[in-house]
Amino acid sequence: MDVSDLARSVIAGDRRALARAITLVESRRDDHRAAARSLLAEVQAAGRQALRIGLSGTPGVGKSTLIESLGLLLTAQGLRVAVLAVDPSSARSGGSILGDKTRMERLSRDPLAFIRPSPSQTQLGGVARRSREAVALCEAAGFDVVLIETVGVGQSETMVAELCDIFVLLLAPAGGDELQGVKRGIMEMADLILVNKADGDLKPAALRTCADYAGALHLLRRRPQDPPGFPKALTVSALADTGLAEAWTEIRNLAAWRQDHGHWANRRAGQARHWFSEEVRQGLLAELNHDPARARMENLGQAVAAGRMTPDAAAAEMLAALAHSTP
């Protein structure tokens, strides 16, 4: 594989090359990791940026349906849209169904859209291990908007906030009250809360839920990256295509304000620093799978299981051994 040729094809907007590039950066093989680093360095020279929008919510809230409706709204305006959908993996087999592309049947046929499902594998936080690199490749390929759909997540899984410029949280009608809204965690990370399924018999419940969360947002500490009125809660219906145009207007207004006031660049710089630290942590964890660290882990694990050592003492010995082996 010629990395330079692949990089040029990605920058030229070749969809097949983009798919191959994402497959390369998701690979765990050592030779592929080296090639992926070279590829990312070359495409970064293009200097392109897209509006990154992270979308999260509990399973069944309608993330895929909303993303398809929003994506069609954006492509109708002539925008190129990339969707990176992360599906949960089996804890037993490691396999994933990767059904989000099947759910977005209309959007997958749109020539201005690109949909890439990826397995979460063992990664926590609602995103895949290499979602950050996939986003960078989509930007280099010239997409205007990158939508990052997480797996169904809960209160504490906020990793997607470190990937995006705007973080949208989807809620279902009657999903909680004001107390639920002021709980720390994912609610603090959201820039925009969308109460989905505001149609038919569920519309009154959606309006009540939206009012509850709007009130709860006023109780949260104001963040420096938010203009007056943000974060805010809105009702939408992905099925009836209502409220999406208003939500998109709010997203654009928030993004423009942050760019004008310097928060956009600061946020991306902070995210780059976060992912540097994350790569170091993941690299250190990977060292535990290689000898002699793996053999020492096994011996200490047996000592703990037999009751000859406490977990804390064994961990301290393991860490001391790693510290001495590090140049």
Side-chain angles (χ1 to χ4, degrees):
M1 180 186 301
D2 189 306
V3 172
S4 295
D5 287 345
L6 183 59
R8 283 192 291 268
S9 297
V10 169
I11 294 172
D14 187 321
R15 297 159 66 93
R16 288 189 177 183
L18 176 58
R20 289 175 59 205
I22 294 177
T23 299
L24 175 64
V25 300
E26 289 180 342
S27 174
R28 296 183 177 182
R29 280 175 44 176
D30 290 339
D31 57 333
H32 286 177
R33 292 306 310 145
R37 285 190 288 270
S38 299
L39 172 66
L40 291 166
E42 292 200 33
V43 300
Q44 189 176 13
R48 294 173 176 171
Q49 286 192 346
L51 175 57
R52 306 172 182 174
I53 303 174
L55 295 104
S56 186
T58 55
V61 75
K63 294 190 297 296
S64 297
T65 305
L66 185 137
I67 287 175
E68 180 175 50
S69 297
L70 179 60
L72 291 171
L73 173 70
L74 301 185
T75 57
Q77 299 176 12
L79 297 174
R80 297 185 66 205
V81 179
V83 178
L84 300 176
V86 183
D87 280 354
S89 299
S90 168
R92 295 184 176 180
S93 66
S96 297
I97 295 178
L98 303 180
D100 281 317
K101 190 170 184 178
T102 304
R103 287 197 184 108
M104 304 177 199
E105 184 179 356
R106 291 182 298 155
L107 187 61
S108 64
R109 296 197 300 266
D110 194 311
L112 293 179
F114 173 82
I115 302 175
R116 171 72 181 213
S118 298
S120 62
Q121 297 177 333
T122 58
Q123 182 75 14
L124 300 178
V127 295
R129 174 78 172 88
R130 297 295 172 185
S131 290
R132 177 181 60 86
E133 288 92 336
V135 170
L137 289 170
C138 290
E139 287 187 314
F143 285 93
D144 302 297
V145 180
V146 180
L147 302 175
I148 309 156
E149 179 195 2
T150 71
V151 302
V153 299
Q155 288 266 14
S156 62
E157 290 157 310
T158 57
M159 190 66 73
V160 68
E162 298 294 342
L163 289 171
C164 62
D165 304 307
I166 307 294
F167 181 28
V168 179
L169 177 62
L170 270 63
L171 298 176
D177 53 18
E178 286 190 6
L179 179 60
Q180 191 72 19
V182 296
K183 285 184 177 179
R184 299 312 190 239
I186 200 168
M187 197 66 57
E188 289 181 300
M189 312 299 292
D191 298 310
L192 190 65
I193 294 176
L194 300 182
V195 182
N196 194 21
K197 304 184 180 181
D199 52 64
D201 295 339
L202 289 175
K203 187 171 183 177
L207 292 172
R208 287 194 300 271
T209 300
C210 183
D212 283 341
Y213 279 89
L217 290 174
H218 290 300
L219 301 177
L220 297 177
R221 182 179 302 170
R222 188 173 181 274
R223 305 173 303 182
Q225 70 268 28
D226 291 333
F230 280 89
K232 61 176 56 178
L234 302 172
T235 57
V236 297
S237 171
L239 196 61
D241 286 341
T242 57
L244 293 177
E246 292 79 1
W248 172 239
T249 298
E250 296 289 355
I251 289 172
R252 285 190 304 168
N253 290 342
L254 178 57
W257 187 90
R258 286 179 173 173
Q259 285 178 321
D260 293 341
H261 290 77
H263 296 292
W264 178 289
N266 290 339
R267 183 183 180 95
R268 290 211 170 187
Q271 289 173 343
R273 190 178 184 89
H274 166 86
W275 289 109
F276 158 69
S277 300
E278 185 65 20
E279 284 298 319
V280 172
R281 282 192 290 269
Q282 293 294 333
L284 290 174
L285 288 174
E287 287 299 314
L288 298 178
N289 293 322
H290 299 94
D291 287 331
R294 181 168 55 185
R296 184 180 291 272
M297 280 283 289
E298 177 63 26
N299 292 334
L300 289 173
Q302 291 178 359
V304 170
R308 297 192 301 272
M309 297 182 71
T310 65
D312 287 350
E317 182 176 325
M318 185 68 210
L319 292 173
L322 289 174
H324 290 146
S325 63
T326 301

